[in-house]
Amino acid sequence: MEPQEGKTTGASIPDTVSTRLQRIAELARMSPPMVLRTLGHHIDVTFLIEAFARTRKDGAKGVDGTSAEDYEKNLEANLQSLVDRLKSGTYRAPPVRRVHIPKGDGSKTRPIGIPTFEDKVLQRAVVMVLEAVYEQDFLDCSYGFRPKRSAHDALEVVRSGLTKMRGGWIVDVDIKGFFDTLDRRHLNDILDLRVRDGVLRRVINKWLHAGVQECGVLSYPDAGTPQGGVVSPILANVYLHEVLDKWFANEAQPRLKGPSFMVRYADDFVIVCKEEEDARRVYEVLPKRLGRFGLTVHPVKTRLVQFVQPPHDTNDKKGPGDFDLLGFTHYWGRSRQGHWIVQRKTAKGRLTRSIRAVYQWCRDHRHWRLKDQALKLGQKLRGHCQYYGVTGNSYSLASYRFELTRAWFKWLNRRSQRRSLTWPRFNALLKRLKFPAARVYRSVYAS
């Protein structure tokens, strides 16, 4: 069935940004096949002020070197100029500045694009409009970069689903270089199904072709979106919603014999099947489905994992098979009562990377005042525990805290040529500074 065409005109623009977004959402929800052609008129100075408020102010600077503080000094004039250039089509998307961050265990890096601050504000405004439309279409299996959804929500669905199913077979998929290989032609075709507003589509196309600046060299990749850009996550969700989510829900899942479900967080996802035959069928057909849209599964990281709950009378303390998702390794382990439960621990690569980062920070900041070091390291420990602090992961949390304090102890003793700190004195120092303990923040038993 051909999509219907619709307009959001016919009534005066509401005064508040939230009302405008609600109106867009209602129209999208009432008419799922409708193609929305006039959305850009909602973006004005008032809308951009709200987008500015939602944009992080402490991020790295783009190619123009302008900070949020610099941009805010003449905010209304800057935003008015931005609106005028957007609506007239004279807005020029600047290239993103590319940097590399550690990936996995730190031996490899991942490229991240850093837009200019003005670009971030405009991208945030466009994301607000696209979210109002596509949140009505996205399926429940999608959790990445969506309002009121988090990585912990996705992890809990995986844990509870496997527990209810008593295990099964995991199709653990890694899309090779997703953000770098995303096919722009297919992306434009997918956007055409829902959004054909000229203002929005023109500026999105400019961002896709803006180029990348790295070490002073400007290049123009012919595929992908700049990973790290504000607009990239929702474009990825739109792409994979059509390519993967709808395909699994409408075509693959109805053909499977046993229970199954999928959980996706951006380009990270797993498919869980109760029956081995179902999992093998999905495992075989999935690369073909993704290949039709220019995507490739990683030949080594993509695998089929047997994750069946072991028999109760076995003497083993750990079940066969494990898989990683969102920084956690999932495995079958014994509870304190001796029952088999799905347990999670910090993935080895993530823990190694976090520890290396702490050692480097302690080395680079050993000249700071002691209280300032304690404050910052305490924040790092709490931040680590707030994400990885889930039930059953106490050992990994304790390991991280131990390595953090050991790194701190090591570099405090290198502030001069003379070793002046012993472990008893250092432990007394931790106690006096009330250095936080590693603790679980998210319990599976909490209501």
Side-chain angles (χ1 to χ4, degrees):
M1 183 177 67
E2 282 292 321
Q4 301 174 8
E5 296 183 0
K7 298 184 178 182
T8 61
T9 56
S12 60
I13 297 177
D15 292 331
T16 65
V17 172
S18 60
T19 306
R20 302 182 204 185
L21 295 176
Q22 184 179 6
R23 183 165 177 262
I24 295 171
E26 289 177 355
L27 182 63
R29 182 168 54 252
M30 290 169 56
S31 305
M34 180 179 289
V35 177
L36 303 176
R37 290 182 172 271
T38 56
L39 295 168
H41 69 279
H42 288 287
I43 300 178
D44 57 12
V45 173
T46 303
F47 201 94
L48 287 179
I49 290 175
E50 177 63 24
F52 172 83
R54 298 187 187 188
T55 303
R56 282 187 57 183
K57 311 298 189 297
D58 58 348
K61 298 177 183 178
V63 294
D64 63 353
T66 302
S67 65
E69 184 178 348
D70 297 333
Y71 196 82
E72 192 175 8
K73 290 177 181 177
N74 199 14
L75 182 60
E76 288 205 21
N78 288 333
L79 295 182
Q80 183 62 60
S81 171
L82 182 56
V83 169
D84 294 341
R85 284 177 284 142
L86 173 68
K87 299 298 179 66
S88 65
T90 59
Y91 176 79
R92 298 185 63 182
V96 297
R97 182 169 67 88
R98 174 170 285 177
V99 297
H100 293 265
I101 63 172
K103 179 182 179 181
D105 61 0
S107 60
K108 297 182 180 180
T109 61
R110 170 183 291 138
I112 293 292
I114 303 175
T116 64
F117 184 76
E118 182 176 67
D119 224 21
K120 291 179 183 178
V121 174
L122 185 55
Q123 288 189 28
R124 176 58 60 193
V126 172
V127 167
M128 289 161 60
V129 175
L130 294 179
E131 276 183 352
V133 175
Y134 284 103
E135 277 299 312
Q136 319 313 314
D137 300 343
F138 289 155
L139 304 182
D140 285 340
C141 63
S142 170
Y143 288 86
F145 304 100
R146 293 182 58 188
K148 299 181 180 179
R149 290 186 168 222
S150 69
H152 289 105
D153 294 330
L155 290 166
E156 179 56 26
V157 169
V158 172
R159 187 199 66 83
S160 60
L162 283 168
T163 301
K164 183 178 180 180
M165 195 182 287
R166 295 187 178 181
W169 288 77
I170 312 295
V171 184
D172 185 8
V173 186
D174 183 275
I175 301 178
K176 189 175 181 179
F178 171 74
F179 284 94
D180 295 327
T181 60
L182 184 147
D183 191 301
R184 295 169 182 170
R185 180 175 57 85
H186 286 305
L187 176 61
N188 283 319
D189 291 342
I190 291 170
L191 288 171
D192 279 342
L193 298 174
R194 205 68 162 112
V195 175
R196 294 185 194 172
D197 176 82
V199 173
L200 297 188
R201 294 296 300 276
R202 182 168 57 236
V203 74
I204 290 173
N205 196 52
K206 288 181 178 180
W207 286 325
L208 293 175
H209 295 85
V212 175
Q213 182 173 302
E214 184 176 3
C215 300
V217 179
L218 186 61
S219 61
Y220 296 90
D222 56 4
T225 65
Q227 189 174 359
V230 178
V231 76
S232 294
I234 192 166
L235 294 181
N237 274 338
V238 170
Y239 198 85
L240 290 176
H241 166 73
E242 193 69 30
V243 173
L244 180 64
D245 300 357
K246 288 175 62 177
W247 167 80
F248 180 75
N250 300 333
E251 297 183 35
Q253 195 172 31
R255 292 180 169 87
L256 302 181
K257 296 179 180 180
S260 62
F261 66 91
M262 182 180 77
V263 172
R264 180 177 66 81
Y265 190 94
D267 61 324
D268 293 331
F269 69 96
V270 293
I271 297 175
V272 182
C273 300
K274 179 64 177 177
E275 304 296 332
E276 179 182 0
E277 180 184 352
D278 291 341
R280 293 194 179 279
R281 290 177 63 189
V282 173
Y283 184 75
E284 291 174 3
V285 76
L286 189 60
K288 300 176 184 177
R289 171 65 183 182
L290 295 177
R292 286 178 53 190
F293 294 88
L295 302 176
T296 306
V297 298
H298 198 290
V300 177
K301 296 181 181 179
T302 300
R303 60 198 184 112
L304 193 63
V305 181
Q306 183 181 8
F307 199 77
V308 179
Q309 178 179 319
H312 181 72
D313 56 358
T314 182
N315 294 325
D316 297 335
K317 294 184 178 180
K318 182 180 177 181
D322 57 47
F323 66 95
D324 290 354
L325 179 66
L326 300 177
F328 288 89
T329 298
H330 297 67
Y331 63 98
W332 284 104
R334 295 279 194 181
S335 68
R336 292 182 179 180
Q337 291 75 31
H339 304 299
W340 286 109
I341 59 174
V342 178
Q343 294 191 333
R344 297 166 292 183
K345 62 181 179 181
T346 309
K348 184 179 180 181
R350 291 291 186 93
L351 184 59
T352 301
R353 187 178 74 186
S354 299
I355 292 171
R356 285 181 179 176
V358 163
Y359 267 81
Q360 188 64 45
W361 189 93
C362 291
R363 177 182 179 179
D364 295 342
H365 298 84
R366 63 184 184 272
H367 60 281
W368 280 19
R369 290 194 318 161
L370 201 57
K371 288 185 178 180
D372 294 336
Q373 290 188 51
L375 177 62
K376 189 65 177 179
L377 289 171
Q379 291 173 350
K380 290 181 178 294
L381 176 59
R382 279 189 288 267
H384 183 90
C385 291
Q386 283 171 358
Y387 184 77
Y388 293 104
V390 299
T391 301
N393 196 30
S394 298
Y395 181 80
S396 294
L397 299 180
S399 297
Y400 176 78
R401 186 185 187 276
F402 172 74
E403 292 294 341
L404 183 149
T405 55
R406 192 168 75 160
W408 193 18
F409 174 80
K410 172 182 176 178
W411 290 108
L412 283 179
N413 270 315
R414 282 160 175 75
R415 296 210 291 183
S416 66
Q417 294 180 348
R418 181 180 176 184
R419 180 185 176 96
S420 58
L421 196 61
T422 63
W423 273 108
R425 287 186 60 192
F426 181 66
N427 288 328
L429 176 66
L430 293 178
K431 187 175 182 180
R432 187 172 76 249
L433 292 173
K434 298 181 179 179
F435 196 73
R439 72 180 187 88
V440 169
Y441 280 82
R442 298 178 182 275
S443 171
V444 298
Y445 306 109
S447 57

